[in-house]
Amino acid sequence: MSISILCAVLFIGFAAALQSEPITQDQRMEWWRRSRFGLFIHWGLYAIPAGIWKGRSIPGIGEWIMYSAKIPVEEYRKLAKQFNPQKFDAKAWVELAKTAGMKYITITSKHHDGFALYGSKASSYNIVDATPFKRDPIRELAEECHKQGLKICFYYSQVQDWNEPGGYGNTWDFPVQGDFQKYLDEKVKPQLTELLTEYGPIGMIWFDTPYNITAEQAQSLKDLVRRLQPACIISGRLGGGVKTDYISTGDNVVPGSMIATDWEVPATLNDTWGFKVEDHSWKSPRQLTIILFDIVAKGGNYLLNVGPTAEGVIPAESVAILHKMGEWLSVNGESIYGTEASPFQREFSWGNLTRKGDKLYLGFYQWPAGEFYLEGLLTRVEKAWLLADPDQKGLAFQQTLDPSAGRPRLSLHLPQQGPDEAVSVVVLQLTGEPMVQQGLFQSGDGSVLLPGVLGKISRAGEEAQLNFGSRTGGSDGWLDPAIAIDWDFHLEKPGRYRVDIITMETGQHGDPAWVGGHTFEIHSAASLQGVIRADEREYSPRAHYWHRIHTHAGCLTYNRPGSQHLRLQPLSINPEQKPDGQPGFTFKEIILTPED
Ligand code: FHN
């Protein structure tokens, strides 16, 4: 039986099975939650100029070259005549994703330039009809994914289409916006129908840049996907305020804390999505592995991108990075696949945790040689070992669970060197499900971390809200100086502590934004007043593009151990904003560091 027939049979069986009983949200998301790690592919005509137009390097991301260089439709369309990626090999691409430990592939079926990377009958501006290549790479890739057991998913730009007067974005050819509804009816819906009926079961449609699509228009796209493939997931960027299946964070944005729903981070290996010959800003496998672990520890998925060349080759640097990540996953995959978010609702300076049943996985981004302390775990540990150790040799540990000691504490004796230069993982086998005391305790190195996400937020004595989840870890849109944050914490060692207020850069990656000048007051052992300034800029492996900004706020002296309280109250918030509406007071956390 040919692969196409096999796919059709599978699809009909799958559709019939679904017709009998409506699929639940948990069923729809099951494979996605288990997967945690996927491959994004941005591939299209933009791979030909690869960032250079008429001898000029065009700034920005590669797939935006038509927009950034304002290339007229007639000129850009001519690229199709040159597109002949003879080295394209669907089998090799899928094998690469598998070797990297990825479980799904999301490929651009149509990006903002309007060109379809598959044989579309709805528009002849497609790879089969308009190029000398004449093959349908989306079909080849879908068939390979079905064969090799990966989910195939399609990116589709539903609003921006620079080739169509009715699509959004091309103001140099079409200064007057055309009929968007007509474009939706005559291009988007027919193309989505093709993608959802001719390529077998599709894991997800990845909509993007919703702009000003209306609720009705977005709903009609959602209804279409649900009708044609009820099991197909709909990405977070459909628009119109219509609820989809998960949240898509900003590009490359790792939230500062857990988000209590399904979410995914789309991210780049260098700075571009579509191939750019001059982009050599490759992130290291270590940085990317830390980000993978951190995302999974906060309950999300990581969709990591490659931009193949016009010949159909995935750049060697990307291949090397993905191989390295795959090596790490082949040893440490148990700490990633099918795991849940950390039971601690905060980050740790040493790394983060994932959880599966009654096991915890401690991922160390920095290896704490010697004694290591984990505060707050209430469940008894049975055994601890290095995930990379095939013999699972037990590590020595002690646990204090006695409430009179003030805090539950696990002390682990670790070898001098971690087994992995990226993320070394220690497994804790517990006697039951992990129970955690969420209180704030002094950590092993004597510092106290007061994260915004674990503070009590109030406004004039009433409970209030601040969102720490959606951007780079800093509070999102804190513009109201009447909002304050309070923390209760436990201090073991009295003494003098330096107070650092951490705010985050935000904005677009490659163009970070940060605004200081907010004034504040801190009330704890004493009162401190000051101004948010950039006293220190610190690279964060979790946030990569966005630095942590330290404001040295002064010192506090605590004369006795035990329960303490700290309040952060802005006195004024600088209203200056960047064009995208960011950033306000992008507060992340306060750190108290012992001075002696
Ligand atoms: O404009 C696109 C961009 O080209 C790329 O596809 C990314 C991937 O998340 N999405 C949009 C920008 O957010």
Side-chain angles (χ1 to χ4, degrees), residues 5 12 27 35 116 127-128 162 167 182 192 208 218 242 250 262 310 312 327 348 353 384 484 488 523 531 585:
I5 298 175
I12 292 164
Q27 286 167 337
S35 301
I127 192 161
V128 175
W162 306 326
K182 185 167 183 291
L192 285 172
D208 201 5
V242 171
D262 295 306
E327 272 171 36
F348 292 92
L353 300 92
D488 292 315
H523 301 283
V531 180
F585 184 15

mmCIF file of all heavy atoms in Angstrom, residues 5 12 27 35 116 127-128 162 167 182 192 208 218 242 250 262 310 312 327 348 353 384 484 488 523 531 585:
data_model
loop_
_atom_site.group_PDB
_atom_site.id
_atom_site.type_symbol
_atom_site.label_atom_id
_atom_site.label_comp_id
_atom_site.label_asym_id
_atom_site.label_seq_id
_atom_site.Cartn_x
_atom_site.Cartn_y
_atom_site.Cartn_z
ATOM 1 N N ILE A 5 -2.020 6.260 0.262
ATOM 2 C CA ILE A 5 -3.247 5.492 0.538
ATOM 3 C C ILE A 5 -3.300 5.150 2.029
ATOM 4 O O ILE A 5 -4.325 5.284 2.683
ATOM 5 C CB ILE A 5 -3.313 4.209 -0.344
ATOM 6 C CG1 ILE A 5 -3.361 4.637 -1.809
ATOM 7 C CG2 ILE A 5 -4.507 3.345 0.026
ATOM 8 C CD1 ILE A 5 -3.302 3.509 -2.798
ATOM 9 N N ILE A 12 -9.219 8.295 7.499
ATOM 10 C CA ILE A 12 -10.656 7.995 7.498
ATOM 11 C C ILE A 12 -11.019 7.256 8.796
ATOM 12 O O ILE A 12 -11.984 7.578 9.478
ATOM 13 C CB ILE A 12 -11.046 7.172 6.239
ATOM 14 C CG1 ILE A 12 -10.902 8.063 5.000
ATOM 15 C CG2 ILE A 12 -12.471 6.638 6.341
ATOM 16 C CD1 ILE A 12 -10.872 7.329 3.693
ATOM 17 N N GLN A 27 -7.870 14.859 25.670
ATOM 18 C CA GLN A 27 -7.481 13.902 24.622
ATOM 19 C C GLN A 27 -6.733 14.610 23.495
ATOM 20 O O GLN A 27 -5.742 14.126 22.983
ATOM 21 C CB GLN A 27 -8.717 13.192 24.044
ATOM 22 C CG GLN A 27 -9.303 12.165 24.985
ATOM 23 C CD GLN A 27 -10.680 11.706 24.537
ATOM 24 O OE1 GLN A 27 -11.391 12.392 23.806
ATOM 25 N NE2 GLN A 27 -11.071 10.523 24.988
ATOM 26 N N SER A 35 4.970 15.354 24.636
ATOM 27 C CA SER A 35 6.093 15.586 23.713
ATOM 28 C C SER A 35 7.122 16.581 24.229
ATOM 29 O O SER A 35 8.317 16.363 24.136
ATOM 30 C CB SER A 35 5.577 16.123 22.386
ATOM 31 O OG SER A 35 4.694 15.216 21.822
ATOM 32 N N ALA A 116 2.706 29.402 -1.085
ATOM 33 C CA ALA A 116 2.360 28.116 -0.472
ATOM 34 C C ALA A 116 3.465 27.098 -0.753
ATOM 35 O O ALA A 116 3.861 26.908 -1.909
ATOM 36 C CB ALA A 116 1.026 27.611 -1.007
ATOM 37 N N ILE A 127 4.580 26.001 -4.623
ATOM 38 C CA ILE A 127 5.837 25.351 -4.997
ATOM 39 C C ILE A 127 5.679 24.352 -6.151
ATOM 40 O O ILE A 127 6.604 24.159 -6.936
ATOM 41 C CB ILE A 127 6.489 24.685 -3.757
ATOM 42 C CG1 ILE A 127 7.927 24.260 -4.058
ATOM 43 C CG2 ILE A 127 5.674 23.517 -3.235
ATOM 44 C CD1 ILE A 127 8.790 24.027 -2.842
ATOM 45 N N VAL A 128 4.518 23.732 -6.279
ATOM 46 C CA VAL A 128 4.343 22.739 -7.346
ATOM 47 C C VAL A 128 4.100 23.441 -8.687
ATOM 48 O O VAL A 128 4.691 23.078 -9.701
ATOM 49 C CB VAL A 128 3.175 21.777 -7.010
ATOM 50 C CG1 VAL A 128 2.916 20.825 -8.173
ATOM 51 C CG2 VAL A 128 3.492 20.996 -5.739
ATOM 52 N N TRP A 162 1.422 39.250 2.061
ATOM 53 C CA TRP A 162 1.948 40.397 1.326
ATOM 54 C C TRP A 162 1.770 40.258 -0.180
ATOM 55 O O TRP A 162 2.116 41.156 -0.935
ATOM 56 C CB TRP A 162 3.439 40.592 1.659
ATOM 57 C CG TRP A 162 3.705 40.692 3.135
ATOM 58 C CD1 TRP A 162 2.891 41.261 4.074
ATOM 59 C CD2 TRP A 162 4.858 40.221 3.845
ATOM 60 N NE1 TRP A 162 3.461 41.169 5.316
ATOM 61 C CE2 TRP A 162 4.679 40.550 5.210
ATOM 62 C CE3 TRP A 162 6.036 39.563 3.462
ATOM 63 C CZ2 TRP A 162 5.618 40.213 6.188
ATOM 64 C CZ3 TRP A 162 6.975 39.250 4.442
ATOM 65 C CH2 TRP A 162 6.767 39.573 5.789
ATOM 66 N N GLY A 167 -4.939 40.646 2.025
ATOM 67 C CA GLY A 167 -4.163 40.231 3.196
ATOM 68 C C GLY A 167 -3.526 41.456 3.828
ATOM 69 O O GLY A 167 -3.412 42.498 3.187
ATOM 70 N N LYS A 182 -12.797 38.818 1.820
ATOM 71 C CA LYS A 182 -12.690 38.109 0.535
ATOM 72 C C LYS A 182 -11.427 37.235 0.543
ATOM 73 O O LYS A 182 -11.440 36.075 0.119
ATOM 74 C CB LYS A 182 -12.618 39.165 -0.592
ATOM 75 C CG LYS A 182 -12.632 38.616 -1.988
ATOM 76 C CD LYS A 182 -12.880 39.792 -2.947
ATOM 77 C CE LYS A 182 -12.990 39.409 -4.393
ATOM 78 N NZ LYS A 182 -11.808 38.943 -5.041
ATOM 79 N N LEU A 192 -6.688 26.174 4.032
ATOM 80 C CA LEU A 192 -6.759 25.384 5.269
ATOM 81 C C LEU A 192 -7.500 24.074 5.018
ATOM 82 O O LEU A 192 -7.132 23.019 5.540
ATOM 83 C CB LEU A 192 -7.463 26.177 6.376
ATOM 84 C CG LEU A 192 -6.639 27.302 7.012
ATOM 85 C CD1 LEU A 192 -7.504 28.135 7.951
ATOM 86 C CD2 LEU A 192 -5.434 26.736 7.778
ATOM 87 N N ASP A 208 -0.599 32.596 13.220
ATOM 88 C CA ASP A 208 0.411 33.568 13.675
ATOM 89 C C ASP A 208 -0.034 35.000 13.375
ATOM 90 O O ASP A 208 -0.889 35.224 12.520
ATOM 91 C CB ASP A 208 1.741 33.268 12.958
ATOM 92 C CG ASP A 208 2.951 33.845 13.690
ATOM 93 O OD1 ASP A 208 2.793 34.394 14.782
ATOM 94 O OD2 ASP A 208 4.065 33.728 13.149
ATOM 95 N N ALA A 218 -12.100 34.997 13.283
ATOM 96 C CA ALA A 218 -11.242 34.000 13.929
ATOM 97 C C ALA A 218 -12.053 32.765 14.292
ATOM 98 O O ALA A 218 -11.607 31.628 14.102
ATOM 99 C CB ALA A 218 -10.603 34.607 15.179
ATOM 100 N N VAL A 242 -10.497 34.830 20.483
ATOM 101 C CA VAL A 242 -11.117 33.495 20.483
ATOM 102 C C VAL A 242 -10.203 32.520 21.227
ATOM 103 O O VAL A 242 -8.992 32.489 21.012
ATOM 104 C CB VAL A 242 -11.343 33.020 19.027
ATOM 105 C CG1 VAL A 242 -11.784 31.562 18.978
ATOM 106 C CG2 VAL A 242 -12.368 33.920 18.355
ATOM 107 N N GLY A 250 5.511 35.014 23.626
ATOM 108 C CA GLY A 250 6.214 35.797 22.617
ATOM 109 C C GLY A 250 7.390 34.984 22.074
ATOM 110 O O GLY A 250 7.838 34.028 22.726
ATOM 111 N N ASP A 262 -1.851 25.023 29.186
ATOM 112 C CA ASP A 262 -0.852 24.571 28.214
ATOM 113 C C ASP A 262 -0.229 25.774 27.516
ATOM 114 O O ASP A 262 -0.937 26.712 27.154
ATOM 115 C CB ASP A 262 -1.534 23.676 27.174
ATOM 116 C CG ASP A 262 -2.070 22.402 27.808
ATOM 117 O OD1 ASP A 262 -1.287 21.701 28.464
ATOM 118 O OD2 ASP A 262 -3.275 22.130 27.662
ATOM 119 N N ALA A 310 18.062 27.591 0.419
ATOM 120 C CA ALA A 310 17.283 27.469 -0.818
ATOM 121 C C ALA A 310 17.564 26.149 -1.534
ATOM 122 O O ALA A 310 16.795 25.729 -2.396
ATOM 123 C CB ALA A 310 17.616 28.641 -1.740
ATOM 124 N N GLY A 312 17.637 23.395 0.133
ATOM 125 C CA GLY A 312 16.925 22.382 0.913
ATOM 126 C C GLY A 312 17.799 21.744 1.974
ATOM 127 O O GLY A 312 17.516 20.635 2.428
ATOM 128 N N GLU A 327 21.767 14.224 22.104
ATOM 129 C CA GLU A 327 22.639 13.402 22.974
ATOM 130 C C GLU A 327 22.232 13.591 24.428
ATOM 131 O O GLU A 327 22.152 12.642 25.191
ATOM 132 C CB GLU A 327 24.105 13.858 22.837
ATOM 133 C CG GLU A 327 24.869 13.192 21.732
ATOM 134 C CD GLU A 327 26.226 13.878 21.532
ATOM 135 O OE1 GLU A 327 26.846 14.319 22.518
ATOM 136 O OE2 GLU A 327 26.638 13.993 20.362
ATOM 137 N N PHE A 348 14.933 28.665 40.945
ATOM 138 C CA PHE A 348 16.056 28.602 41.886
ATOM 139 C C PHE A 348 17.307 29.084 41.163
ATOM 140 O O PHE A 348 17.420 28.929 39.941
ATOM 141 C CB PHE A 348 16.277 27.154 42.360
ATOM 142 C CG PHE A 348 15.162 26.632 43.225
ATOM 143 C CD1 PHE A 348 14.096 25.956 42.651
ATOM 144 C CD2 PHE A 348 15.177 26.836 44.590
ATOM 145 C CE1 PHE A 348 13.059 25.479 43.433
ATOM 146 C CE2 PHE A 348 14.138 26.365 45.383
ATOM 147 C CZ PHE A 348 13.078 25.683 44.810
ATOM 148 N N LEU A 353 13.184 22.265 38.565
ATOM 149 C CA LEU A 353 12.777 20.867 38.760
ATOM 150 C C LEU A 353 11.649 20.489 37.816
ATOM 151 O O LEU A 353 10.790 21.319 37.507
ATOM 152 C CB LEU A 353 12.234 20.648 40.172
ATOM 153 C CG LEU A 353 13.108 20.915 41.367
ATOM 154 C CD1 LEU A 353 12.920 22.343 41.839
ATOM 155 C CD2 LEU A 353 12.751 19.967 42.496
ATOM 156 N N ALA A 384 18.331 9.028 46.084
ATOM 157 C CA ALA A 384 18.737 10.086 45.137
ATOM 158 C C ALA A 384 19.879 9.552 44.300
ATOM 159 O O ALA A 384 20.750 8.853 44.813
ATOM 160 C CB ALA A 384 19.193 11.322 45.920
ATOM 161 N N ALA A 484 1.180 47.326 45.788
ATOM 162 C CA ALA A 484 2.356 46.965 46.597
ATOM 163 C C ALA A 484 2.487 45.443 46.644
ATOM 164 O O ALA A 484 1.528 44.716 46.368
ATOM 165 C CB ALA A 484 2.187 47.515 48.005
ATOM 166 N N ASP A 488 6.238 37.330 53.420
ATOM 167 C CA ASP A 488 6.670 36.814 54.719
ATOM 168 C C ASP A 488 7.748 35.795 54.407
ATOM 169 O O ASP A 488 7.580 34.978 53.503
ATOM 170 C CB ASP A 488 5.504 36.104 55.425
ATOM 171 C CG ASP A 488 4.444 37.099 55.831
ATOM 172 O OD1 ASP A 488 4.812 38.156 56.377
ATOM 173 O OD2 ASP A 488 3.261 36.835 55.552
ATOM 174 N N HIS A 523 9.934 48.479 53.110
ATOM 175 C CA HIS A 523 9.773 48.441 54.569
ATOM 176 C C HIS A 523 10.056 47.037 55.031
ATOM 177 O O HIS A 523 9.391 46.095 54.607
ATOM 178 C CB HIS A 523 8.337 48.803 54.975
ATOM 179 C CG HIS A 523 7.932 50.151 54.501
ATOM 180 N ND1 HIS A 523 8.346 51.301 55.120
ATOM 181 C CD2 HIS A 523 7.166 50.525 53.449
ATOM 182 C CE1 HIS A 523 7.841 52.340 54.468
ATOM 183 N NE2 HIS A 523 7.127 51.891 53.444
ATOM 184 N N VAL A 531 15.579 54.804 43.749
ATOM 185 C CA VAL A 531 15.127 54.929 42.357
ATOM 186 C C VAL A 531 15.583 53.679 41.614
ATOM 187 O O VAL A 531 16.714 53.225 41.801
ATOM 188 C CB VAL A 531 15.797 56.159 41.694
ATOM 189 C CG1 VAL A 531 15.335 56.317 40.248
ATOM 190 C CG2 VAL A 531 15.510 57.413 42.479
ATOM 191 N N PHE A 585 6.987 49.120 35.226
ATOM 192 C CA PHE A 585 7.910 48.614 36.244
ATOM 193 C C PHE A 585 7.992 47.097 36.056
ATOM 194 O O PHE A 585 7.102 46.358 36.470
ATOM 195 C CB PHE A 585 7.341 48.989 37.623
ATOM 196 C CG PHE A 585 8.201 48.629 38.810
ATOM 197 C CD1 PHE A 585 9.542 48.276 38.681
ATOM 198 C CD2 PHE A 585 7.653 48.658 40.087
ATOM 199 C CE1 PHE A 585 10.315 47.961 39.790
ATOM 200 C CE2 PHE A 585 8.421 48.349 41.211
ATOM 201 C CZ PHE A 585 9.744 47.995 41.055
#
